[in-house]
Each structure stands twice: as C-alpha cells, then as structure tokens.
Amino acid sequence: MKNRALKYTIAFGVIGLIIAILIAYVERSTVATFQKNLPYISLGDNIKNRVTQAHLWFEELMAGDASLNFERDILTVFASSKEILQTAYDGKENELGKFGKSNDEETQVIIKESIISLDKLLATAKERWKFKQQHVTTATEPVLDSTGAVIVTATVSTGEEAGGELDQEFDANYQNFQKKMDELIVHINASVKSDVTYIDTLSWISIISLIVAFVFLCVLLYRLQSGSDKMVTENNARLEEQSKDVNALTGFVESISAGDYAVEIEKLADESLSNTLITMRNKLRNNAEDDRKRNWSTTGLAQIGEILRTSTTSTEELFDNIIKFVVKYTKSNQGGLFILNEDNGTENTLDLVACYAFERKKFLKKNVAIGEGLVGQCFMEGARIYLLEVPQEYISITSGLGSSNPNALLLVPLKVNERIYGVIELATFGQYQEYEIDLVEKLAESIASTISTVRANESTRILLERTQQQAEEMRAQEEEMRQNMEELEATQEEMRRKEKHIQSMLDDEKLRNEVSQKNRKVLMELTKNRDVQSGNWNAALEKITSTICNQLHVSRCSVWSLSDLKNRLKNEKLHILRDRTFESGNELLAKDYPGYFEALTREDVIVANDALTNPATREFADGYFNSLDINSLLDVPFFNDGRIAGVICCEQQHQQKQWTEEDIEFLKSCADLVTVAYNTMKINTMIDSLNGAQETLQTIIDNIPRAVFWKDKDLRFQGCNRIFASVAGVRSHKDLVGHTDFDMPWKDHAEAYRADDLTVMNSRKSRLDLEEKNVNSNGEISWVLTSKVPVMNQHGEVVAVLGMFEDITERKRKEADIESKLNELEQLKKMLESRTN
C-alpha cells in the first residue's frame, strides 16, 4: 500500500511537473519569439523609409537644392542603412535591437541580396554626383544681333539631365532595392506568422493537457477509493488463508528443527513459498548428509591416527591393526596390506604383511613383483585402481558357508612425498562411494607416513638390540676381563657417541632428502616452463630468479652475463623478494673488482657465507654490501659452448646464511636451465635472422629477369623465382619444394634434364650460357640460354645444383632474319659487281 501511494504521488508530481514545464516553455517561447522577431519586424520598414528619404533628398540635391549636402545627408543615410543590414545579417546588435544569428537561410539570402542592391544604389548615386560635379558648369555667353551689338546673356548647361542613362540606372537600382525590402518584409511577416501559429498550438496543447490531467486525477481518485474498499475485503480472506499457512509452516519448521528431513509440507496458497521450503529442506538434508560424511572421514582419520600412535609393540601388530580397522571402518568384506620389501637385493617385491576377512585373520604369505597384477600395477603407476567388474578368478570372499566374487575392488598406493611404500587392497560386495575412496587415500597417506617412521625406528631398534646384546656379552665376561674394564667403558662411550652421530647423520640425511625432493620438484616445473623452453629470455629469467628466491629463501637473486673479453658483467635480471620487483641494466667492470673477476674466469663456484671477508667478494664490502646490508653470497657460473657465459648470484640481507650442498646443486641445475634458455634465445634470433635473409634473397631472385631454380643432391626442387614458378605452372616457389622434373609440365624430357644436372654435380664444373634447341610435340622450335652451377658446402661437398635459363627464341629468329638479309645483300653486291665488270 505504501509503495502504491508512493507511486501515485510520484505520478501526480511528474504529471504536474510536465504541465508546469509545458506552460513555462510556452510562456518563455512567446517571450523569446517576440524578442527574436521584433528587430526583424521593424528592419524592413525602417531601412525602406531611410533609403526613400535619402532618395528624395538626393533628387532635390541634383535639382539644385543648396541646403543639402551629399556627404552629410545622402551618404550617411545610405551607410547607416547598410550597417543596420550588415549587423542583422551577422546576428549582432544595432539601434533597432539585438539580432540573433538566424537559422533561416532564406532570410539570410534576402538580407545579403538587399546589401548588394544597396551597394549598387550607393555606387550609382556616387557616379551621378561625380558626373554632376565634373560636367555641370554655368557660363555666361554674349548674344549678338545682325549689327554685332550685344542683345542678351544666356546660361549654357551641360551634363546629365532627368531621363539620362545614370538617372535611369539610379532609379532602376532604387526600385530593385525597394523590391528586396518588400520581399524581406513579406518573408519576415510569414516567419512571424509561423512562430505565432506554433505558440498558439503549444497554448492549446497546454490547455488540453490541463483538462486531461484533471479528468485523469478524478478518475484515478475514484478507482483508488473503490480499490481500497475491495482490498479490505480481499485482505480479510487472505488473512484467514495465511493463518492456515502459518500453522502448516510452523509444523514443517519444527519437524525440520527436530531433524526430520522426510517431512512433507501441506499445499500452501503461495506455491513458490512451498517450493522454496522444500528446496530448503532438501539443502538441509544434503548438508546433513555432507556433515555425516565429513564427520565419518574425520573420525576415521582420528581413529587411524590413534592406532598408528599406540601400536608400537611390533610392525606385525601395527599392520594387523591397520588392515583390521580399515576393513571394518569402510564396511569392506576383505582387505590386504602389501608392503615394499627392499631386502631382496636388486629384485624388490610387494609382500602381503597383513590381511583380514569376515572378522577373522587369514594367515597367508604372498609376494607380488613390481608391475605384476593389479597390485603391482597400482604400485608402479602410483595411482588408485577402482574396479566395479572384478575378474572371476582374481579374488573370492569366503566364509564357512561358501565363497563369491566381490562386486567392487579398490587398490590405493601407500604414497607420501612422492614415494610409495606399498599398496592397500579392499574388496566388498557393495560399492565404494567417492568420499569413502577419498578417506582410504588419506588413510593410505597416513599409513605410508607411519611406515616410513616405523622403518626408521625399526632400524634404530635393531641397532639398539645389537648394542644391548654386545653389552650383555661384555657383562658376562666382566669377571674375566676386569683388567680391561677401562678400555671396555671407553669402547661403550665411543659406541654411544657413534650411535648419536649415526642418528644425527640419519636425521640430516632425511632433511637433505626432503630438501632435494622439493628442489627436484621445483626444477621439474622450471624445466616444463614454456618461457624457458621457447627461449623467451626476459620472461624465463624472471621465472628462474623469482623461483630461486622463493625456494632458497634468499633476499635477492640475479643473472649476470659475462662479455666475450671477460672484462664486464651485465645485470640481465635481478629479483628482489621483499618488493616482488625486477631490475636490470647494471654493469660491473673487471678493473673495479679484479679479485672477483679472477674467480669467475677460473669458473669457481663462489660460496661466501661471510661475504664481507671472503677473498673473492670482499671488494664489494664498502660500496655495495654495506649499503644494502648484504651478509652472504653464492655465485654459480653458467656456460655456453664450453665457456663461461655468466653467473647466477644469490644474496642474503640482514643476516648470514650457511649455504648447503643442496643449495649449490639446485643453483647449478638452475644454471643449466639458464644455459638452455640462453641457447634457445640465440637459436631463435638466428632463425629470425635467417628467415629475414631468406625473404631478402627470395625478393632479389624474384627480380632477376631469368628463370632461376635450385635442386638438392637428390634432384628435388628446393626453390625458384617467380618466373620459373610461372613456367612450372605453380602459384608460388613454396608449392615447388620437394617435387621433381617428373612432376613438371616437361616430364617427357625429365630424364635428359636430370642427367644434365648430375653431370654438372659430378664434374663440379659450371655450364654457363649454353644455347639449347627444343622441339615440342607439335614440331615448334624454341631456343633457351641455360646456365648451371654446382653448389658446395663448407666441406667441399656438392649438395645442390643452381640453374637458370632464358627464352631466346625471339632473339634467335631476329638473328636468323639478319643473317638471311646479309646473305641477300651479299648476293646483290656480287651481282652488281659482275654487271660492272
């Protein structure tokens, strides 16, 4: 209801605003039209009166009125009239008012024509006045009678009189100007009438809009009142239906809250609400099912963790408890645990160390070779195997009453840190859900981790048992060897020290193995990097330096290239771990750091745990290390073509770092990747250069005015120019590559051409500018000028033949014609000589 009231209020406001805007627009349009047309209305009559007055004064001045002045009374009026017309044309303000720039092209044309007509009128007036000044004179001449006496004096006037050419031209220009003024007045009146009609139309629209709006408001108020009465009745009925829906909703929500997700809701008046509640119930049921699965997995992980922690009596007991728990918890019918046995020398096997079926152990002994059967295949691939169609003779689940094949078989490798210790196999009459398989994989990872720890503990236990056994033997001989007690005690102390040392070595070796595995994984990712493989130099260096910083936990890592003279190092890429930024372009000169460059030229790996005191790096202490607080440095060179090409530099700030063998080996591997990227970059550059050179060479060959081709040592075409491609009937030289003469239009002569090519290649001698005569199947004769050259490599071996030819048939015909004509001339000469004699 509130929304409807707001809508109606907004509608009323909008309608009122539109009507108010329309009325204001009509009022402002009326004022604007009046102000715009007022100067134009008075323009025509004002200019017409001014010019008419100036015309009358000019005629009186020409008639001899001495009270008038041409410059003051005539030209001033004409000039002011022209100025008024010009300002009206330009849309400026004058004494008649402010003229706006008119968009009416016809008005502008009439005013412009009026200005031109006024200029002509003014020019004609000036000519008449000038003529009058030059030719109108007053002279007194005597008139004599027959006796020669003066009788009277007469005034002789010369010049332009009324009805003369200048007077007629002046009157014609005046009439033309008056006509233009009348045309301007008529046009402006028509324009004003059009504007008045437009304003009148807008006024009627405003009036009609007010009437329509008033009628609309009355009808709307009536409908609102009737609708309000109807709404009250409908709301009462709806309220009763909603009370029923509320009761149904209350029961539905209470059932959901109690965990009854199978409850159904009665049909409500609002069907969308019913669908929404059903959707909510389904989502809650799915969430409860997901929680059950998640809790099931979490509980299983916790229980297997407890078993792995508490079963420490022996490995057999541990394996039995593991397989028993996994089979029961996953509700499987049978299970087996296969552990890798590495004590058989070179041939490792998977031994069945524990199995469980139908609540009773099955003491079996079974060995599986790596890659043999599903167990061996699962171990070798390192991935789970889940079968829903189990082979008939692979496995059977037995009981006291019989046996049957399972419906599902699941094999999961016991893998941790990319190392596999064995395989767990489960079989069931049902099927395993995806979340159950995920749990088994997580359990397998925990079991593998425990097996790794148990094996280490087992080795330690065996060592301890042997030590204890030796101690017992020594105590049995205590009486007999009392004199050697001190030596025995010393020996025992040494054994304990060695034991601790061995344990420390085992721990260190384990740590190094973990670091090495991580380094190998990172190196594998770098090796697969697209930028490193493709030789994208900058991107590859950014990837390598950032990876080294993250893997070795160093502050800065950079790659420097060494000049061919080994006197300058250039910073190709520097990665700063803290800012995650890259820099490049700095240079180091051998003359500034001779000790460091000497170590580089020896291709040494510079390991400076204390960079400030190391002989190879202490030259940087004052100017470089102290400013950046660098304490440790590790440099590993990378090579190209068997020579040092640069160095990878790792720098640790704010504290010293003890570089390990794993760090050095990792950096050496990264140096190999830098070499690969560097060589690939150079190869790409060479390929681009060769492609450019090949395109340039092809352009040059295409512009040779002869047909050019070349073949490899197997006489297959490897390229040609545009003329030869046209002769061969192909679109481009690329379409010719790999073909032979047998594929060409001249295949009938292919054997002869190939024999000629082989002769040139075998003799290693060029055949230049040989004229050859050809006769085609139609008996037509043609001549070609042919040249062939053997192409040899840097080892002096002939690897191709280059040929070119030019059709000289027309030239041969001309030479034959010239020779024939010379023979005729020679015969004529002989005939003339014989007649002379």
Side-chain angles (χ1 to χ4, degrees):
M1 191 63 181
K2 291 182 180 180
N3 292 335
R4 185 182 297 177
L6 179 60
K7 292 178 181 178
Y8 288 150
T9 303
I10 294 174
F12 293 158
V14 170
I15 293 172
L17 180 61
I18 293 173
I19 294 174
I21 292 173
L22 185 60
I23 295 173
Y25 175 74
V26 171
E27 189 271 334
R28 297 311 304 168
S29 297
T30 303
V31 174
T33 302
F34 174 75
Q35 292 178 350
K36 181 186 75 173
N37 293 326
L38 181 60
Y40 285 100
I41 293 173
S42 60
L43 176 64
D45 293 333
N46 185 280
I47 298 300
K48 187 175 182 181
N49 292 335
R50 284 172 180 264
V51 175
T52 301
Q53 183 181 8
H55 176 264
L56 294 174
W57 285 352
F58 182 68
E59 293 295 340
E60 292 175 2
L61 179 62
M62 294 295 293
D65 189 351
S67 62
L68 298 173
N69 182 276
F70 182 75
E71 298 289 340
R72 183 191 67 230
D73 299 326
I74 308 303
L75 290 183
T76 303
V77 175
F78 280 141
S80 62
S81 299
K82 180 181 177 182
E83 183 180 359
I84 292 173
L85 287 174
Q86 187 64 45
T87 53
Y89 180 80
D90 296 337
K92 300 179 180 179
E93 187 175 2
N94 55 35
E95 61 187 65
L96 298 181
K98 185 175 182 180
F99 288 85
K101 187 66 176 179
S102 176
N103 295 325
D104 187 0
E105 294 182 357
E106 186 175 357
T107 301
Q108 295 291 91
V109 170
I110 295 173
I111 294 176
K112 189 64 177 179
E113 291 177 349
S114 299
I115 294 173
I116 296 171
S117 179
L118 183 58
D119 286 337
K120 292 179 179 179
L121 181 61
L122 181 58
T124 307
K126 288 181 179 180
E127 289 180 3
R128 286 189 65 189
W129 178 249
K130 183 178 180 181
F131 183 84
K132 179 176 177 61
Q133 292 295 109
Q134 293 177 352
H135 300 87
V136 178
T137 59
T138 304
T140 304
E141 298 181 358
V143 178
L144 302 178
D145 59 7
S146 59
T147 61
V150 177
I151 300 176
V152 66
T153 59
T155 301
V156 181
S157 301
T158 63
E160 192 260 338
E161 300 177 351
E165 292 182 1
L166 293 177
D167 182 48
Q168 291 178 2
E169 183 179 356
F170 179 76
D171 289 341
N173 288 334
Y174 174 73
Q175 293 299 328
N176 185 44
F177 178 76
Q178 292 293 328
K179 183 179 178 181
K180 290 296 178 184
M181 286 295 99
D182 292 338
E183 184 178 350
L184 177 63
I185 292 171
V186 171
H187 179 72
I188 291 175
N189 289 336
S191 177
V192 171
K193 185 176 180 181
S194 176
D195 292 339
V196 171
T197 303
Y198 173 71
I199 297 300
D200 186 61
T201 302
L202 288 179
S203 301
W204 278 108
I205 290 174
S206 302
I207 295 171
I208 294 172
S209 299
L210 283 172
I211 295 173
V212 171
F214 180 76
V215 173
F216 173 74
L217 292 176
C218 293
V219 172
L220 186 61
L221 290 174
Y222 171 76
R223 292 187 62 183
L224 285 175
Q225 185 60 38
S226 61
S228 177
D229 296 339
K230 183 178 179 181
M231 188 182 300
V232 171
T233 304
E234 292 177 352
N235 286 340
N236 292 332
R238 192 179 302 160
L239 186 61
E240 293 180 1
E241 293 179 358
Q242 288 180 351
S243 61
K244 295 179 181 178
D245 292 345
V246 167
N247 294 331
L249 287 175
T250 302
F252 181 78
V253 171
E254 288 178 352
S255 299
I256 293 295
S257 300
D260 183 9
Y261 298 113
V263 64
E264 297 294 339
I265 188 172
E266 298 179 1
K267 186 175 181 181
L268 303 178
D270 189 352
E271 187 175 352
S272 62
L273 179 60
S274 299
N275 295 334
T276 301
L277 290 174
I278 293 173
T279 302
M280 180 195 70
R281 179 202 63 190
N282 295 336
K283 287 183 178 180
L284 290 174
R285 181 168 55 198
N286 293 335
N287 290 338
E289 181 64 19
D290 292 341
D291 290 340
R292 183 189 67 79
K293 294 177 181 179
R294 190 161 41 250
N295 293 334
W296 183 81
S297 298
T298 303
T299 303
L301 288 173
Q303 293 181 6
I304 193 65
E306 183 67 22
I307 292 173
L308 296 176
R309 285 192 300 271
T310 57
S311 299
T312 58
T313 304
S314 63
T315 55
E316 291 79 4
E317 181 183 356
L318 174 63
F319 294 150
D320 289 340
N321 292 336
I322 288 173
I323 194 62
K324 178 179 180 181
F325 170 78
V326 173
V327 170
K328 284 188 174 182
Y329 198 77
T330 58
K331 297 182 180 179
S332 301
N333 299 103
Q334 185 171 296
L337 185 62
F338 295 83
I339 301 300
L340 178 65
N341 185 359
E342 299 176 333
D343 298 333
N344 295 334
T346 59
E347 184 179 356
N348 297 333
T349 59
L350 293 169
D351 296 345
L352 180 63
V353 297
C355 62
Y356 192 85
F358 283 109
E359 298 294 338
R360 61 189 179 87
K361 273 189 64 174
K362 295 175 63 178
F363 293 98
L364 302 175
K365 289 186 179 181
K366 187 176 182 181
N367 298 326
V368 178
I370 303 299
E372 178 185 356
L374 293 177
V375 175
Q377 193 68 24
C378 177
F379 179 87
M380 187 171 64
E381 294 179 355
R384 75 184 187 191
I385 297 177
Y386 180 45
L387 299 178
L388 294 178
E389 295 181 2
V390 184
Q392 290 294 326
E393 297 179 356
Y394 177 77
I395 189 174
S396 62
I397 301 176
T398 61
S399 67
L401 300 178
S403 62
S404 176
N405 284 344
N407 293 329
L409 184 66
L410 175 64
L411 296 94
V412 178
L414 305 178
K415 181 169 63 174
V416 64
N417 294 329
E418 301 303 325
R419 182 175 180 183
I420 303 175
Y421 291 92
V423 175
I424 186 170
E425 180 182 20
L426 299 174
T428 181
F429 287 126
Q431 291 185 1
Y432 293 106
Q433 302 298 322
E434 186 63 31
Y435 72 94
E436 294 177 329
I437 298 175
D438 291 339
L439 175 63
V440 173
E441 290 182 337
K442 293 178 181 178
L443 295 177
E445 185 176 352
S446 298
I447 294 168
S449 177
T450 302
I451 291 173
S452 175
T453 304
V454 166
R455 284 192 170 181
N457 294 337
E458 187 70 16
S459 299
T460 305
R461 185 181 63 82
I462 292 173
L463 289 175
L464 291 175
E465 288 179 354
R466 291 177 180 176
T467 304
Q468 292 173 359
Q469 183 179 0
Q470 291 176 359
E472 288 293 334
E473 293 176 355
M474 289 171 64
R475 279 194 295 270
Q477 299 174 1
E478 183 178 0
E479 293 298 332
E480 298 177 2
M481 302 179 63
R482 186 176 299 274
Q483 63 277 12
N484 298 325
M485 184 61 70
E486 293 181 0
E487 295 180 5
L488 290 175
E489 289 178 359
T491 303
Q492 290 177 354
E493 183 65 28
E494 180 67 18
M495 291 178 63
R496 284 192 291 269
R497 186 184 66 80
K498 288 183 179 181
E499 182 181 350
K500 292 180 180 180
H501 179 66
I502 291 172
Q503 185 63 39
S504 177
M505 291 177 60
L506 290 174
D507 294 339
D508 292 342
E509 185 64 25
K510 181 179 179 181
L511 181 60
R512 285 195 296 270
N513 289 336
E514 293 177 355
V515 172
S516 298
Q517 288 180 0
K518 293 180 180 179
N519 290 345
R520 283 195 295 272
K521 185 177 180 181
V522 172
L523 288 172
M524 185 62 67
E525 293 176 357
L526 280 177
T527 304
K528 296 178 182 178
N529 184 265
R530 183 176 300 174
D531 294 324
V532 176
Q533 292 180 349
S534 63
N536 188 354
W537 183 241
N538 286 326
L541 292 186
E542 289 182 359
K543 180 64 176 179
I544 292 172
T545 53
S546 59
T547 301
I548 292 173
C549 282
N550 293 323
Q551 186 66 16
L552 300 185
H553 306 291
V554 293
S555 306
R556 297 155 60 91
C557 179
S558 56
V559 176
W560 299 75
S561 61
L562 185 63
S563 65
D564 294 336
L565 299 178
K566 298 183 180 180
N567 61 353
R568 185 178 70 254
L569 273 176
K570 180 183 177 183
N571 180 12
E572 298 290 343
K573 192 67 63 178
L574 166 64
H575 178 65
I576 302 174
L577 181 62
R578 182 186 62 185
D579 302 330
R580 304 291 181 183
T581 58
F582 296 93
E583 298 178 1
S584 59
N586 297 333
E587 290 187 351
L588 299 177
L589 301 179
K591 63 180 182 178
D592 298 329
Y593 308 100
Y596 178 73
F597 273 82
E598 182 180 355
L600 286 183
T601 55
R602 293 197 306 267
E603 301 179 1
D604 291 345
V605 175
I606 300 176
V607 182
N609 296 326
D610 186 358
L612 300 176
T613 60
N614 189 281
T617 61
R618 60 189 176 191
E619 297 170 334
F620 296 94
D622 295 332
Y624 181 63
F625 290 160
N626 291 335
S627 61
L628 296 176
D629 194 15
I630 295 175
N631 293 277
S632 299
L633 181 140
L634 174 61
D635 281 2
V636 173
F638 63 89
F639 300 89
N640 180 45
D641 294 334
R643 296 181 298 173
I644 183 170
V647 64
I648 299 179
C649 178
C650 293
E651 300 166 338
Q652 181 66 24
Q653 295 175 300
H654 312 309
Q655 61 182 1
Q656 288 189 4
K657 181 178 179 65
Q658 299 298 317
W659 305 106
T660 64
E661 290 295 329
E662 288 75 16
D663 297 338
I664 298 173
E665 291 300 323
F666 177 75
L667 211 57
K668 286 181 179 179
S669 300
C670 292
D672 294 337
L673 293 178
V674 172
T675 301
V676 171
Y678 182 76
N679 290 333
T680 307
M681 179 211 36
K682 291 182 64 177
I683 291 171
N684 292 337
T685 303
M686 292 173 61
I687 290 173
D688 293 339
S689 177
L690 289 175
N691 289 336
Q694 185 176 2
E695 291 295 332
T696 303
L697 180 61
Q698 186 65 41
T699 303
I700 294 172
I701 293 174
D702 284 341
N703 288 278
I704 294 177
R706 287 188 178 186
V708 181
F709 66 91
W710 58 94
K711 305 176 183 177
D712 60 13
K713 61 182 181 180
D714 296 327
L715 299 181
R716 292 186 176 273
F717 287 101
Q718 297 301 313
C720 68
N721 65 351
R722 185 172 58 252
I723 297 176
F724 188 86
S726 177
V727 173
V730 295
R731 292 181 296 179
S732 171
H733 66 277
K734 298 179 180 178
D735 299 332
L736 193 70
V737 176
H739 292 282
T740 65
D741 290 296
F742 295 105
D743 304 321
M744 297 295 108
W746 53 82
K747 58 185 178 181
D748 295 337
H749 306 284
E751 289 291 351
Y753 292 153
R754 290 170 64 87
D756 190 48
D757 295 337
L758 287 174
T759 301
V760 172
M761 295 175 68
N762 294 332
S763 65
R764 299 185 174 219
K765 293 182 180 180
S766 303
R767 299 181 60 189
L768 303 177
D769 295 334
L770 296 179
E771 295 182 358
E772 296 180 351
K773 181 179 179 181
N774 295 325
V775 180
N776 61 15
S777 59
N778 296 325
E780 297 176 351
I781 300 174
S782 61
W783 292 84
V784 292
L785 186 64
T786 306
S787 296
K788 292 184 180 180
V789 178
V791 179
M792 291 177 283
N793 60 15
Q794 59 184 354
H795 304 295
E797 299 173 349
V798 177
V799 295
V801 59
L802 172 66
M804 63 178 66
F805 64 85
E806 181 182 2
D807 191 347
I808 58 173
T809 303
E810 188 64 27
R811 191 181 78 185
K812 296 294 289 184
R813 289 175 181 172
K814 290 180 179 180
E815 289 177 354
D817 292 340
I818 292 172
E819 185 177 358
S820 175
K821 291 178 179 179
L822 289 175
N823 292 331
E824 291 177 1
L825 289 174
E826 186 68 25
Q827 292 177 2
L828 289 173
K829 183 178 179 181
K830 291 179 179 180
M831 292 175 62
L832 289 174
E833 291 177 351
S834 63
R835 289 180 180 179
T836 303
N837 295 332

